[in-house]
Amino acid sequence: MSFDAVSLRRMPDALEPRRQRGLLFATVFAIVTVTVIVGKPDAIPPTLFNATTIVIAAVAVALPLQAGFLNVGVEGQMLAGGLAAAAVGGAIDENWPLPIALSLCILAAITGGIFMILPAWALQRYFRVPEVISTILLNFAAQAATNYFTIKIWAQEGTYTDRTPELPSNVQLGALPWPPVNLSILIAVLVAVGYWALLRSHAMLSVRAAGANAAAAELAGRRPERMRFIATITGGAIAGLASCNQVLGYLHGFKDNFAAGVGFTAIIVAVLAPAFPAIVFVSLLLGGVQYGLIYLQGMGASSEMGNLIQAVVLIGCLLYLRRRQ
Amino acid sequence: MMDEFIGATRLGAPLLVATWAAIICRRVGVFNLTLDAGMTAGAFVYLCAAMLFGVVHQSFHPAVFVLALASVILAGTIIGAFYGWLITRRKLDEIITGIAVNIAALGVIGSIGKWKDLDREPARIPAFVTADIGNIQAIEWLTISVFAFSLLLAWVYARTVPGRRLSSVGTSVEAAQQVALPFGEYRFRSTIAAGAVSAVAGALLIMLGGGQFSYRIAGAYGFTALAFGVIGSGRFILASALALAYGAVQVPEIQEYLRLTRVPDQLSLATQYLLPLAILVAIDVWRRWKRSRVLHAAPA
């Protein structure tokens, strides 16, 4: 009995225009509903802020998934990326020019993400360890390790804090006129457009071939392992980048377990809408749902309710898609 | 030395029971990611049932234990049946669905718990032992019988007709179809059984952990159990050895904690999550070495 018995059924990677229009209407409807329910247009900036992280994280899941690598470890990669960005940002002098300082922090976030996904890829490639197990366990390890660094290394003697000190202004992603939306929304746009361009590129054919049938891809002269490696590492880098919205744009420092729940939301988006622009619509939809839930928490609902609703949405959508097939 | 052994069995027992659940599913070719949910649900229902029935009986009573355990099995069965229905009857992807069911179950438990403020309640539940790891005077029949039960399961799967039929489904669905085995039904029933078993593992976490409950009680036990299921290639006896070794690794740290000589930090916790990965790598290297030896020994 081998792990090959576990087959990841390929999800449709290009949605037909009718479904995309349907998703667009659903998103607009959801945002309008949230706005009406909450009773103020202030709901839109937090929705955009949530969607920024979700879009980037969803691409971090969707891209390796095209190559047959299910990246369940986005949360761990975000935590590692965020910690690396905060560490580099904290070490940078305030007088450094903003473009250089900020680029270094973003680069550190990317490196952190790669650092977390690389072991999972290597374990799968060389030791046949299922990536689902390795990425999940690495998630837990990242949570514990970042917690240790935050509380034991950065906290001042005799004090308890679950976040690193405030980062200097030259490594903060600038705020836009609609807080908490910040410049990382540009990163999300770049990632989404880049993913769209990639989906239409020749290279993506090789990546998809590696995911669909590695043996056939090899016979056709492709190099499936190389393609899987590139897709996986890029996914990790993008997951690290996803931490910038929170760490550099909003919290201005690393907060313990700041990425809780993002990984699961990203999997939902990547599974339901792996193509562009549907990935953006669904991210906006779930961003709105998340904000609505935070609002409901103020009215006494529990924080776990959010995960429950998202899980029910995912199961419902999967059942619907299966029925249509 | 005996204390350490008893401590290892106590720490390894819940993980071993969870590993049974992983193996039961693996034997029929299902990669069950809902074990964490089953364990948390089991622990939570055991807490609720023991509190409810304990209040009725006003004190600890063997009937409380039986009722609480029956409730735990029921809860696990519901989760397993729901997951099994989705992946066998509705044919959804087992990994994505497993993650969704996991999150949904944890969401339900968290919501009910917060609503009823159960996390603030003192633990008034029947726990078999004190928190003193390695106390040989405590009731150890439970942990010993858990390990002994592994032998029984191994025998059932290896030597009996139903066990072999179940294993054949996981080995080759096509072959199972050829001999007209109802593989869908086998998978469904095995998933239900795995749900019930994982819930019992969750209840064991409370029983052997001194009666404490938290929403993160399952930690990564479910995923570690899955890793052990993969490492052991579906073998119950190898899984027992792994669970015992895992418990043995944890014993010194917990002993230090109880003697107040050192508080375990999050960094040592991180290494515990990496341990199953290290074992997976070691097993793969060992298998390759063994294969290469066979190839070298073969005549030209």
Side-chain angles (χ1 to χ4, degrees), chain A residues 1 3 6 8-9 70 123 126-129 133-134 136 140-141 144 147 152 264 271 302 304 307-308 311 314 318-319 322, chain B residues 26 31 90-93 95-96 99-100 103-104 107-108 111 114 219-220 223 227 265-266 270 273 277 280-281 284-285 288 291:
Chain A
M1 192 165 22
F3 186 69
V6 177
L8 271 178
R9 273 175 217 105
L70 179 57
L123 286 168
Y126 297 110
F127 302 103
R128 290 176 297 174
V129 177
I133 290 181
S134 58
I136 287 176
F140 283 105
N147 177 279
K152 290 278 168 78
F264 177 58
V271 167
S302 72
E304 282 78 10
N307 283 338
L308 175 61
L314 176 62
L318 287 174
L319 281 171
R322 173 61 60 191
Chain B
R26 193 176 159 73
F31 194 67
R90 294 289 153 201
K91 309 233 181 298
L92 298 188
D93 184 275
I95 291 181
I96 301 291
I99 295 170
I103 301 284
V108 169
S111 301
K114 292 273 164 64
F223 301 113
D265 52 45
Q266 292 288 321
Y273 298 129
L277 294 178
L280 274 167
V281 169
D284 192 66
V285 169
R288 280 186 201 184
R291 204 179 306 135

Short mmCIF file of all heavy atoms in Angstrom, two decimals, chain A residues 1 3 6 8-9 70 123 126-129 133-134 136 140-141 144 147 152 264 271 302 304 307-308 311 314 318-319 322, chain B residues 26 31 90-93 95-96 99-100 103-104 107-108 111 114 219-220 223 227 265-266 270 273 277 280-281 284-285 288 291:
data_model
loop_
_atom_site.label_atom_id
_atom_site.label_comp_id
_atom_site.label_asym_id
_atom_site.label_seq_id
_atom_site.Cartn_x
_atom_site.Cartn_y
_atom_site.Cartn_z
N MET A 1 0.85 -1.19 0.00
CA MET A 1 0.00 0.00 0.00
C MET A 1 0.89 1.25 0.00
O MET A 1 1.78 1.37 0.81
CB MET A 1 -0.86 -0.01 1.26
CG MET A 1 -1.94 0.99 1.22
SD MET A 1 -3.22 0.73 2.46
CE MET A 1 -2.45 -0.23 3.72
N PHE A 3 1.33 5.67 -0.71
CA PHE A 3 0.60 6.92 -0.60
C PHE A 3 -0.05 7.33 -1.91
O PHE A 3 -0.91 8.17 -1.94
CB PHE A 3 1.55 8.02 -0.10
CG PHE A 3 0.83 9.30 0.18
CD1 PHE A 3 -0.03 9.38 1.24
CD2 PHE A 3 0.99 10.39 -0.63
CE1 PHE A 3 -0.72 10.53 1.51
CE2 PHE A 3 0.32 11.56 -0.37
CZ PHE A 3 -0.54 11.63 0.70
N VAL A 6 -3.68 7.75 -2.43
CA VAL A 6 -4.36 9.02 -2.14
C VAL A 6 -4.28 9.88 -3.40
O VAL A 6 -3.22 10.32 -3.79
CB VAL A 6 -3.67 9.75 -0.97
CG1 VAL A 6 -4.32 11.08 -0.74
CG2 VAL A 6 -3.73 8.90 0.25
N LEU A 8 -5.27 13.23 -5.41
CA LEU A 8 -5.85 14.56 -5.35
C LEU A 8 -6.57 14.81 -6.66
O LEU A 8 -5.96 14.94 -7.69
CB LEU A 8 -4.73 15.60 -5.21
CG LEU A 8 -4.31 15.93 -3.82
CD1 LEU A 8 -3.18 16.91 -3.87
CD2 LEU A 8 -5.45 16.51 -3.05
N ARG A 9 -7.88 14.80 -6.58
CA ARG A 9 -8.61 15.04 -7.83
C ARG A 9 -8.36 16.46 -8.29
O ARG A 9 -8.40 17.40 -7.52
CB ARG A 9 -10.10 14.81 -7.60
CG ARG A 9 -10.43 13.37 -7.79
CD ARG A 9 -11.88 13.14 -7.46
NE ARG A 9 -11.95 11.86 -6.82
CZ ARG A 9 -12.14 11.70 -5.53
NH1 ARG A 9 -12.29 12.72 -4.76
NH2 ARG A 9 -12.17 10.50 -5.01
N LEU A 70 0.11 19.94 -2.82
CA LEU A 70 -0.91 20.62 -2.01
C LEU A 70 -0.23 21.30 -0.82
O LEU A 70 0.22 20.65 0.11
CB LEU A 70 -1.97 19.62 -1.52
CG LEU A 70 -3.08 20.20 -0.65
CD1 LEU A 70 -3.83 21.31 -1.36
CD2 LEU A 70 -4.06 19.13 -0.22
N LEU A 123 11.45 16.70 1.50
CA LEU A 123 10.96 15.46 2.11
C LEU A 123 10.11 14.67 1.13
O LEU A 123 10.17 13.44 1.09
CB LEU A 123 10.14 15.78 3.37
CG LEU A 123 10.93 16.23 4.60
CD1 LEU A 123 10.02 16.80 5.66
CD2 LEU A 123 11.70 15.04 5.17
N TYR A 126 12.74 13.53 -2.00
CA TYR A 126 13.81 12.56 -1.74
C TYR A 126 13.42 11.44 -0.78
O TYR A 126 14.06 10.40 -0.77
CB TYR A 126 15.05 13.28 -1.22
CG TYR A 126 15.61 14.24 -2.24
CD1 TYR A 126 15.52 15.61 -2.05
CD2 TYR A 126 16.21 13.77 -3.40
CE1 TYR A 126 16.01 16.50 -3.00
CE2 TYR A 126 16.69 14.65 -4.35
CZ TYR A 126 16.59 16.01 -4.15
OH TYR A 126 17.05 16.86 -5.09
N PHE A 127 12.43 11.68 0.07
CA PHE A 127 12.10 10.66 1.07
C PHE A 127 10.65 10.21 1.01
O PHE A 127 10.18 9.50 1.89
CB PHE A 127 12.43 11.18 2.48
CG PHE A 127 13.86 11.58 2.64
CD1 PHE A 127 14.22 12.91 2.64
CD2 PHE A 127 14.85 10.62 2.75
CE1 PHE A 127 15.55 13.30 2.75
CE2 PHE A 127 16.17 10.99 2.86
CZ PHE A 127 16.53 12.32 2.87
N ARG A 128 9.93 10.64 -0.01
CA ARG A 128 8.55 10.23 -0.25
C ARG A 128 7.64 10.49 0.96
O ARG A 128 6.74 9.70 1.26
CB ARG A 128 8.49 8.76 -0.66
CG ARG A 128 9.06 8.55 -2.04
CD ARG A 128 9.08 7.10 -2.39
NE ARG A 128 9.95 6.33 -1.50
CZ ARG A 128 10.05 5.02 -1.52
NH1 ARG A 128 9.32 4.33 -2.35
NH2 ARG A 128 10.88 4.40 -0.71
N VAL A 129 7.91 11.57 1.69
CA VAL A 129 7.04 11.94 2.80
C VAL A 129 5.88 12.76 2.21
O VAL A 129 6.13 13.75 1.53
CB VAL A 129 7.80 12.80 3.85
CG1 VAL A 129 6.86 13.26 4.95
CG2 VAL A 129 8.96 12.02 4.42
N ILE A 133 1.22 15.84 5.19
CA ILE A 133 1.70 15.62 6.57
C ILE A 133 2.82 16.59 6.90
O ILE A 133 2.80 17.25 7.94
CB ILE A 133 2.19 14.17 6.74
CG1 ILE A 133 1.00 13.21 6.69
CG2 ILE A 133 2.95 14.01 8.05
CD1 ILE A 133 1.38 11.77 6.89
N SER A 134 3.80 16.70 6.00
CA SER A 134 4.97 17.53 6.34
C SER A 134 4.59 19.00 6.47
O SER A 134 5.04 19.68 7.41
CB SER A 134 6.08 17.36 5.29
OG SER A 134 5.61 17.69 4.02
N ILE A 136 1.66 20.28 7.29
CA ILE A 136 0.85 20.50 8.50
C ILE A 136 1.75 20.48 9.74
O ILE A 136 1.65 21.37 10.61
CB ILE A 136 -0.26 19.44 8.62
CG1 ILE A 136 -1.35 19.72 7.59
CG2 ILE A 136 -0.88 19.47 10.02
CD1 ILE A 136 -2.46 18.68 7.55
N PHE A 140 2.70 23.56 12.64
CA PHE A 140 2.73 23.52 14.11
C PHE A 140 4.12 23.91 14.63
O PHE A 140 4.25 24.64 15.61
CB PHE A 140 2.36 22.13 14.61
CG PHE A 140 0.88 21.83 14.55
CD1 PHE A 140 0.37 21.00 13.58
CD2 PHE A 140 0.00 22.40 15.45
CE1 PHE A 140 -0.99 20.72 13.51
CE2 PHE A 140 -1.36 22.13 15.40
CZ PHE A 140 -1.85 21.28 14.42
N ALA A 141 5.14 23.39 13.96
CA ALA A 141 6.52 23.70 14.38
C ALA A 141 6.79 25.20 14.24
O ALA A 141 7.40 25.83 15.12
CB ALA A 141 7.51 22.90 13.55
N ALA A 144 5.06 27.14 17.05
CA ALA A 144 5.77 27.02 18.33
C ALA A 144 7.08 27.80 18.30
O ALA A 144 7.41 28.52 19.26
CB ALA A 144 6.03 25.54 18.62
N ASN A 147 6.54 31.58 18.29
CA ASN A 147 6.09 31.96 19.62
C ASN A 147 7.27 32.08 20.58
O ASN A 147 7.39 33.03 21.36
CB ASN A 147 5.08 30.93 20.13
CG ASN A 147 4.61 31.20 21.53
OD1 ASN A 147 5.29 30.87 22.49
ND2 ASN A 147 3.46 31.84 21.65
N LYS A 152 10.46 34.80 24.06
CA LYS A 152 11.71 34.62 24.78
C LYS A 152 12.85 35.53 24.27
O LYS A 152 13.69 35.96 25.04
CB LYS A 152 12.17 33.16 24.69
CG LYS A 152 11.32 32.18 25.47
CD LYS A 152 11.72 32.19 26.91
CE LYS A 152 10.73 31.47 27.81
NZ LYS A 152 10.82 30.06 27.77
N PHE A 264 -6.27 28.11 5.81
CA PHE A 264 -7.49 27.40 5.46
C PHE A 264 -8.32 28.20 4.44
O PHE A 264 -8.82 27.65 3.45
CB PHE A 264 -8.30 27.12 6.72
CG PHE A 264 -9.62 26.46 6.45
CD1 PHE A 264 -9.67 25.25 5.78
CD2 PHE A 264 -10.80 27.05 6.82
CE1 PHE A 264 -10.88 24.64 5.51
CE2 PHE A 264 -12.02 26.45 6.56
CZ PHE A 264 -12.05 25.24 5.90
N VAL A 271 -9.10 26.13 -4.14
CA VAL A 271 -9.85 24.97 -4.61
C VAL A 271 -11.09 25.40 -5.40
O VAL A 271 -11.40 24.85 -6.45
CB VAL A 271 -10.25 24.08 -3.42
CG1 VAL A 271 -11.28 23.05 -3.83
CG2 VAL A 271 -9.03 23.37 -2.87
N SER A 302 -18.73 33.67 18.81
CA SER A 302 -17.36 33.22 19.09
C SER A 302 -16.49 33.34 17.83
O SER A 302 -16.99 33.37 16.71
CB SER A 302 -17.36 31.76 19.56
OG SER A 302 -17.65 30.93 18.47
N GLU A 304 -14.55 31.12 16.69
CA GLU A 304 -14.55 29.85 15.96
C GLU A 304 -15.68 29.80 14.93
O GLU A 304 -15.65 29.00 14.01
CB GLU A 304 -14.71 28.67 16.94
CG GLU A 304 -13.46 28.30 17.68
CD GLU A 304 -13.15 29.23 18.83
OE1 GLU A 304 -14.02 30.07 19.16
OE2 GLU A 304 -12.04 29.16 19.38
N ASN A 307 -14.50 30.14 11.23
CA ASN A 307 -13.98 28.92 10.60
C ASN A 307 -15.11 27.97 10.25
O ASN A 307 -15.09 27.33 9.21
CB ASN A 307 -12.99 28.22 11.54
CG ASN A 307 -11.66 28.92 11.55
OD1 ASN A 307 -11.33 29.65 10.62
ND2 ASN A 307 -10.91 28.74 12.62
N LEU A 308 -16.08 27.89 11.16
CA LEU A 308 -17.21 26.99 10.94
C LEU A 308 -17.96 27.39 9.66
O LEU A 308 -18.26 26.54 8.81
CB LEU A 308 -18.14 27.02 12.15
CG LEU A 308 -19.43 26.23 12.04
CD1 LEU A 308 -19.15 24.76 11.83
CD2 LEU A 308 -20.28 26.41 13.29
N ALA A 311 -15.94 26.61 6.58
CA ALA A 311 -15.91 25.17 6.30
C ALA A 311 -17.23 24.73 5.68
O ALA A 311 -17.25 23.94 4.73
CB ALA A 311 -15.65 24.40 7.59
N LEU A 314 -17.30 25.81 2.12
CA LEU A 314 -16.45 24.96 1.28
C LEU A 314 -17.14 23.62 0.97
O LEU A 314 -17.21 23.19 -0.19
CB LEU A 314 -15.10 24.72 1.96
CG LEU A 314 -14.16 23.77 1.21
CD1 LEU A 314 -13.79 24.32 -0.15
CD2 LEU A 314 -12.89 23.53 2.01
N LEU A 318 -18.31 22.32 -2.67
CA LEU A 318 -17.79 21.07 -3.23
C LEU A 318 -18.92 20.12 -3.61
O LEU A 318 -18.90 19.49 -4.66
CB LEU A 318 -16.86 20.37 -2.22
CG LEU A 318 -15.49 21.01 -2.00
CD1 LEU A 318 -14.75 20.30 -0.88
CD2 LEU A 318 -14.65 20.96 -3.27
N LEU A 319 -19.95 20.07 -2.75
CA LEU A 319 -21.11 19.21 -3.05
C LEU A 319 -21.82 19.70 -4.30
O LEU A 319 -22.23 18.91 -5.15
CB LEU A 319 -22.07 19.21 -1.85
CG LEU A 319 -21.69 18.32 -0.67
CD1 LEU A 319 -22.60 18.56 0.51
CD2 LEU A 319 -21.76 16.84 -1.07
N ARG A 322 -19.72 18.88 -7.37
CA ARG A 322 -19.78 17.44 -7.64
C ARG A 322 -21.11 17.08 -8.29
O ARG A 322 -21.18 16.29 -9.22
CB ARG A 322 -19.58 16.68 -6.32
CG ARG A 322 -19.77 15.19 -6.40
CD ARG A 322 -18.82 14.52 -7.35
NE ARG A 322 -17.43 14.72 -6.98
CZ ARG A 322 -16.40 14.40 -7.76
NH1 ARG A 322 -16.63 13.93 -8.96
NH2 ARG A 322 -15.17 14.59 -7.37
N ARG B 26 -6.29 3.84 6.54
CA ARG B 26 -5.23 3.59 5.55
C ARG B 26 -5.38 2.21 4.92
O ARG B 26 -5.11 2.01 3.75
CB ARG B 26 -3.88 3.74 6.23
CG ARG B 26 -2.74 3.81 5.25
CD ARG B 26 -1.44 4.05 5.92
NE ARG B 26 -0.36 3.64 5.06
CZ ARG B 26 0.03 4.27 3.97
NH1 ARG B 26 -0.57 5.38 3.62
NH2 ARG B 26 1.02 3.83 3.23
N PHE B 31 -7.10 8.48 3.29
CA PHE B 31 -6.14 9.30 4.04
C PHE B 31 -6.97 10.27 4.88
O PHE B 31 -7.39 11.31 4.40
CB PHE B 31 -5.25 10.04 3.05
CG PHE B 31 -4.03 10.65 3.67
CD1 PHE B 31 -3.03 9.87 4.19
CD2 PHE B 31 -3.88 12.03 3.71
CE1 PHE B 31 -1.89 10.44 4.75
CE2 PHE B 31 -2.76 12.60 4.27
CZ PHE B 31 -1.77 11.79 4.78
N ARG B 90 -20.66 10.83 -1.72
CA ARG B 90 -20.67 12.03 -2.58
C ARG B 90 -19.38 12.16 -3.38
O ARG B 90 -19.24 13.09 -4.17
CB ARG B 90 -20.89 13.28 -1.73
CG ARG B 90 -22.24 13.35 -1.08
CD ARG B 90 -23.33 13.62 -2.09
NE ARG B 90 -24.60 13.08 -1.63
CZ ARG B 90 -25.62 12.80 -2.42
NH1 ARG B 90 -25.52 12.99 -3.70
NH2 ARG B 90 -26.74 12.32 -1.93
N LYS B 91 -18.42 11.31 -3.09
CA LYS B 91 -17.15 11.24 -3.85
C LYS B 91 -16.38 12.57 -3.89
O LYS B 91 -15.85 12.97 -4.93
CB LYS B 91 -17.40 10.75 -5.28
CG LYS B 91 -18.22 9.47 -5.38
CD LYS B 91 -17.52 8.44 -6.23
CE LYS B 91 -18.32 7.17 -6.38
NZ LYS B 91 -18.58 6.46 -5.14
N LEU B 92 -16.34 13.24 -2.76
CA LEU B 92 -15.55 14.49 -2.68
C LEU B 92 -14.09 14.13 -2.42
O LEU B 92 -13.77 13.04 -1.95
CB LEU B 92 -16.07 15.39 -1.56
CG LEU B 92 -17.51 15.89 -1.67
CD1 LEU B 92 -17.78 16.91 -0.58
CD2 LEU B 92 -17.78 16.52 -3.02
N ASP B 93 -13.22 15.09 -2.70
CA ASP B 93 -11.79 14.88 -2.47
C ASP B 93 -11.55 14.67 -0.97
O ASP B 93 -11.97 15.48 -0.14
CB ASP B 93 -11.01 16.11 -2.94
CG ASP B 93 -9.53 15.90 -2.81
OD1 ASP B 93 -8.99 16.14 -1.71
OD2 ASP B 93 -8.92 15.48 -3.79
N ILE B 95 -8.87 14.76 0.92
CA ILE B 95 -7.96 15.64 1.66
C ILE B 95 -8.60 17.00 1.92
O ILE B 95 -8.65 17.47 3.07
CB ILE B 95 -6.62 15.78 0.90
CG1 ILE B 95 -5.91 14.43 0.96
CG2 ILE B 95 -5.75 16.88 1.50
CD1 ILE B 95 -4.58 14.37 0.30
N ILE B 96 -9.14 17.60 0.86
CA ILE B 96 -9.80 18.91 1.03
C ILE B 96 -11.00 18.77 1.97
O ILE B 96 -11.19 19.58 2.88
CB ILE B 96 -10.27 19.45 -0.35
CG1 ILE B 96 -9.10 19.60 -1.32
CG2 ILE B 96 -11.01 20.76 -0.19
CD1 ILE B 96 -8.12 20.65 -0.99
N ILE B 99 -9.85 18.40 5.59
CA ILE B 99 -9.48 19.68 6.20
C ILE B 99 -10.74 20.46 6.57
O ILE B 99 -10.84 21.01 7.68
CB ILE B 99 -8.60 20.51 5.23
CG1 ILE B 99 -7.26 19.80 4.99
CG2 ILE B 99 -8.34 21.91 5.78
CD1 ILE B 99 -6.42 20.41 3.88
N ALA B 100 -11.74 20.46 5.67
CA ALA B 100 -12.96 21.22 5.93
C ALA B 100 -13.73 20.65 7.12
O ALA B 100 -14.19 21.40 7.99
CB ALA B 100 -13.84 21.21 4.68
N ILE B 103 -11.97 21.55 10.37
CA ILE B 103 -12.19 22.94 10.79
C ILE B 103 -13.64 23.13 11.26
O ILE B 103 -13.89 23.81 12.26
CB ILE B 103 -11.90 23.90 9.61
CG1 ILE B 103 -10.45 23.75 9.13
CG2 ILE B 103 -12.21 25.34 9.97
CD1 ILE B 103 -9.41 24.36 9.99
N ALA B 104 -14.58 22.49 10.54
CA ALA B 104 -15.99 22.63 10.93
C ALA B 104 -16.23 22.06 12.32
O ALA B 104 -16.89 22.69 13.16
CB ALA B 104 -16.88 21.92 9.90
N GLY B 107 -14.80 24.22 14.89
CA GLY B 107 -15.63 25.43 14.99
C GLY B 107 -16.86 25.17 15.84
O GLY B 107 -17.22 25.98 16.70
N VAL B 108 -17.50 24.01 15.64
CA VAL B 108 -18.69 23.68 16.43
C VAL B 108 -18.32 23.55 17.90
O VAL B 108 -18.99 24.11 18.78
CB VAL B 108 -19.33 22.35 15.91
CG1 VAL B 108 -20.40 21.86 16.86
CG2 VAL B 108 -19.90 22.56 14.52
N SER B 111 -17.48 26.92 19.40
CA SER B 111 -18.66 27.77 19.55
C SER B 111 -19.50 27.33 20.75
O SER B 111 -19.92 28.15 21.55
CB SER B 111 -19.52 27.73 18.28
OG SER B 111 -18.77 28.16 17.19
N LYS B 114 -17.53 28.10 24.03
CA LYS B 114 -17.53 29.52 24.40
C LYS B 114 -18.93 29.95 24.87
O LYS B 114 -19.08 30.72 25.81
CB LYS B 114 -17.11 30.37 23.20
CG LYS B 114 -15.68 30.18 22.79
CD LYS B 114 -14.76 31.12 23.57
CE LYS B 114 -13.31 30.69 23.47
NZ LYS B 114 -12.76 30.76 22.15
N GLY B 219 -3.72 19.03 19.92
CA GLY B 219 -2.45 19.52 19.39
C GLY B 219 -2.25 19.04 17.98
O GLY B 219 -3.10 19.22 17.12
N ALA B 220 -1.16 18.36 17.75
CA ALA B 220 -0.95 17.77 16.42
C ALA B 220 -0.99 16.25 16.51
O ALA B 220 -0.43 15.57 15.67
CB ALA B 220 0.38 18.25 15.87
N PHE B 223 -2.37 14.49 13.40
CA PHE B 223 -1.47 14.49 12.23
C PHE B 223 -0.23 13.62 12.50
O PHE B 223 0.28 12.99 11.59
CB PHE B 223 -1.08 15.92 11.87
CG PHE B 223 -2.29 16.76 11.55
CD1 PHE B 223 -2.67 17.80 12.36
CD2 PHE B 223 -3.06 16.47 10.43
CE1 PHE B 223 -3.81 18.55 12.07
CE2 PHE B 223 -4.18 17.20 10.14
CZ PHE B 223 -4.57 18.24 10.96
N ALA B 227 1.05 10.42 10.41
CA ALA B 227 2.45 10.18 10.02
C ALA B 227 2.89 8.78 10.46
O ALA B 227 3.54 8.06 9.70
CB ALA B 227 3.36 11.23 10.65
N ASP B 265 9.73 24.85 26.97
CA ASP B 265 9.38 26.03 26.18
C ASP B 265 8.84 25.61 24.81
O ASP B 265 8.79 24.43 24.46
CB ASP B 265 10.59 26.95 26.04
CG ASP B 265 11.80 26.21 25.53
OD1 ASP B 265 11.65 25.44 24.58
OD2 ASP B 265 12.89 26.39 26.09
N GLN B 266 8.43 26.61 24.06
CA GLN B 266 7.81 26.34 22.77
C GLN B 266 8.81 25.74 21.77
O GLN B 266 8.41 25.04 20.85
CB GLN B 266 7.23 27.63 22.20
CG GLN B 266 6.04 28.14 22.98
CD GLN B 266 4.81 27.27 22.75
OE1 GLN B 266 4.55 26.81 21.65
NE2 GLN B 266 4.05 27.04 23.81
N ALA B 270 8.33 22.54 19.37
CA ALA B 270 8.52 22.52 17.92
C ALA B 270 9.28 21.27 17.49
O ALA B 270 8.97 20.67 16.47
CB ALA B 270 9.28 23.77 17.47
N TYR B 273 7.12 18.24 17.00
CA TYR B 273 6.38 18.16 15.73
C TYR B 273 7.30 17.69 14.60
O TYR B 273 6.84 17.10 13.63
CB TYR B 273 5.79 19.52 15.37
CG TYR B 273 4.78 20.03 16.37
CD1 TYR B 273 4.88 21.31 16.90
CD2 TYR B 273 3.73 19.23 16.80
CE1 TYR B 273 3.96 21.78 17.82
CE2 TYR B 273 2.82 19.68 17.73
CZ TYR B 273 2.94 20.97 18.23
OH TYR B 273 2.03 21.41 19.14
N LEU B 277 8.59 13.61 11.30
CA LEU B 277 9.21 13.81 9.99
C LEU B 277 10.59 13.17 9.96
O LEU B 277 10.96 12.53 8.97
CB LEU B 277 9.31 15.30 9.66
CG LEU B 277 7.97 16.04 9.49
CD1 LEU B 277 8.21 17.51 9.23
CD2 LEU B 277 7.17 15.44 8.35
N LEU B 280 10.16 9.51 9.62
CA LEU B 280 9.79 9.16 8.24
C LEU B 280 11.01 9.11 7.33
O LEU B 280 11.17 8.20 6.51
CB LEU B 280 8.80 10.20 7.69
CG LEU B 280 7.31 9.96 8.00
CD1 LEU B 280 6.50 11.20 7.68
CD2 LEU B 280 6.77 8.79 7.22
N VAL B 281 11.89 10.10 7.50
CA VAL B 281 13.11 10.14 6.69
C VAL B 281 13.99 8.93 7.01
O VAL B 281 14.49 8.24 6.11
CB VAL B 281 13.89 11.45 6.96
CG1 VAL B 281 15.26 11.41 6.34
CG2 VAL B 281 13.11 12.64 6.41
N ASP B 284 12.67 5.76 5.50
CA ASP B 284 12.87 5.69 4.05
C ASP B 284 14.32 5.35 3.71
O ASP B 284 14.59 4.54 2.82
CB ASP B 284 12.47 7.03 3.40
CG ASP B 284 12.39 6.92 1.90
OD1 ASP B 284 11.51 6.19 1.41
OD2 ASP B 284 13.24 7.52 1.22
N VAL B 285 15.24 5.98 4.44
CA VAL B 285 16.67 5.71 4.22
C VAL B 285 16.96 4.24 4.51
O VAL B 285 17.67 3.55 3.75
CB VAL B 285 17.54 6.64 5.10
CG1 VAL B 285 18.99 6.20 5.10
CG2 VAL B 285 17.43 8.07 4.64
N ARG B 288 15.67 1.99 1.75
CA ARG B 288 16.53 2.05 0.55
C ARG B 288 17.81 1.25 0.75
O ARG B 288 18.26 0.54 -0.14
CB ARG B 288 16.91 3.51 0.26
CG ARG B 288 15.80 4.25 -0.43
CD ARG B 288 16.29 5.62 -0.80
NE ARG B 288 15.18 6.50 -1.01
CZ ARG B 288 15.30 7.74 -1.42
NH1 ARG B 288 16.49 8.24 -1.62
NH2 ARG B 288 14.26 8.49 -1.62
N ARG B 291 17.01 -2.36 0.45
CA ARG B 291 16.77 -2.74 -0.94
C ARG B 291 18.11 -2.86 -1.70
O ARG B 291 18.32 -3.78 -2.47
CB ARG B 291 15.87 -1.71 -1.63
CG ARG B 291 15.12 -2.29 -2.83
CD ARG B 291 14.23 -1.25 -3.46
NE ARG B 291 13.32 -0.64 -2.50
CZ ARG B 291 13.08 0.66 -2.42
NH1 ARG B 291 13.68 1.50 -3.22
NH2 ARG B 291 12.22 1.13 -1.55
#
